[in-house]
Amino acid sequence: MKVLLGVGGSRLSYEALETSIERAREAGDDLTVAVFGNEEVDADDDEVEQRVREVLDENGFEATIRRLDGEPGPQLVEIAQRENYDRIVLGSGQRSTLGKIQLGSIAEFVLLNAQTPVTLVR
C-alpha cells in the first residue's frame, strides 16, 4: 500500500508517524512523509523535518520525506490523488471536555475534500 502521512509538528502528528512506521513495517507499505510548518502548533518546516528524520532513524525505517509549501490540506489532497496514494494518514482528533472530537483545520479540509481514504490517528 502506498501511504501519504502528513506531519505538521503537533504531538498527534508525531504519534501518527510512530504508528505509521509500525504499520508500514508490518504490512510492507511504502511510506511518504509530507512535512509542513503549522501555525497552530508554532512549528516550522526545518524543525518538523529534523524530528521526522530522528524518529525514522531511531526506528531504523526508511521513508521518503517531502516538504509542502503553502496550504498543507489542499496539497495533501492533490498529491494523494495525482500520485495514486492508497491512503492519507494524519494525526488529529482531540476530544473536547464534552467528549466531542475536535479536528484541526488541516485534517478537516483533508477529510472533506480527499477522494483517497483518510485515517486519523488520535
Side-chain angles (χ1 to χ4, degrees):
M1 183 178 288
K2 194 173 169 185
V3 177
L4 178 62
L5 168 66
V7 177
S10 70
R11 177 185 58 80
L12 287 172
S13 70
Y14 293 124
E15 289 177 15
L17 174 60
E18 295 276 356
T19 300
S20 296
I21 290 170
E22 290 173 27
R23 161 98 169 98
R25 181 175 279 128
E26 291 172 6
D29 292 343
D30 178 24
L31 180 63
T32 298
V33 182
V35 298
F36 52 90
N38 187 347
E39 298 170 353
E40 294 176 12
V41 293
D42 194 30
D44 70 29
D45 297 4
D46 292 331
E47 295 169 337
V48 175
E49 183 174 346
Q50 180 179 349
R51 177 114 183 248
V52 166
R53 289 188 186 282
E54 289 170 1
V55 171
L56 289 169
D57 287 345
E58 288 168 7
N59 284 278
F61 190 81
E62 289 189 30
T64 302
I65 298 174
R66 61 193 295 174
R67 283 193 183 207
L68 303 182
D69 318 346
E71 293 295 317
Q75 288 184 54
L76 288 166
V77 170
E78 179 189 338
I79 290 167
Q81 186 169 350
R82 184 182 66 233
E83 298 179 21
N84 297 316
Y85 279 88
D86 299 303
R87 181 163 307 278
I88 301 171
V89 178
L90 296 169
S92 188
Q94 294 195 19
R95 290 207 180 263
S96 72
T97 54
L98 298 175
K100 293 185 177 185
I101 293 179
Q102 296 176 315
L103 299 176
S105 60
I106 297 165
E108 183 177 357
F109 182 91
V110 172
L111 281 170
L112 293 174
N113 294 284
Q115 299 300 311
T116 305
V118 179
T119 298
L120 292 181
V121 177
R122 5 177 238 123

